Amino acid sequence: MISSKIHAVLDYLMGALLIAIPWLLGFADHSAATVLPVILGASTIIYSLLTDYEYAIAPAFSFQGHLLLDLMSAALLLVSPWLFGFNETIYWPHFILGAFEIVIVLLTTKTPPDTKFTIRST
């Protein structure tokens, strides 16, 4: 199982990879194939910064809500080549990264992290 701490690191890495992948693999042509991973990568970074887990800056919503957003984002990424009609030109990066993200969500411990500051009495 993947802890919320490791999941947080993977979120930021995946967000950066999604933003960069069109240029890394040479399909940065401003079509849906390019724009969708960039938008999903940027949104992943933004909602990760706002999730109640270890590496957030302003925890505004739950870890379970975050996992649901991850799952929806991954599903959209996975089917996007066929949904938006660019499967004839490129589909493997979208399919592989979407499937990878789904596997990460399924392997992540669903218990929310204890990120609240507490004072313990001795």
Side-chain angles (χ1 to χ4, degrees):
M1 297 299 271
I2 297 170
S3 70
S4 61
K5 192 172 190 176
I6 292 172
H7 186 99
V9 171
L10 291 173
D11 281 332
Y12 294 114
L13 292 174
M14 179 62 81
L17 180 61
L18 285 169
I19 291 168
I21 201 83
W23 290 271
L24 292 174
L25 297 182
F27 62 91
D29 59 0
H30 305 294
S31 68
T34 302
V35 173
L36 186 70
V38 171
I39 290 172
L40 291 177
S43 65
T44 297
I45 291 170
I46 291 167
Y47 70 74
S48 294
L49 291 169
L50 300 174
T51 298
D52 186 14
Y53 66 176
E54 286 83 1
Y55 297 118
I57 60 169
F61 58 93
S62 72
F63 184 54
Q64 287 81 8
H66 172 98
L67 292 174
L68 181 59
L69 286 173
D70 277 349
L71 193 59
M72 291 186 308
S73 173
L76 177 60
L77 186 63
L78 190 136
V79 301
S80 65
W82 297 273
L83 187 64
F84 296 108
F86 58 85
N87 61 307
E88 296 288 327
T89 56
I90 190 156
Y91 68 91
W92 281 114
H94 301 77
F95 185 84
I96 291 170
L97 291 175
F100 177 75
E101 224 177 327
I102 289 171
V103 169
I104 294 302
V105 169
L106 294 175
L107 293 178
T108 297
T109 303
K110 306 307 184 267
T111 307
D114 184 19
T115 58
K116 305 286 187 231
F117 178 78
T118 57
I119 298 173
R120 297 177 190 220
S121 60
T122 56

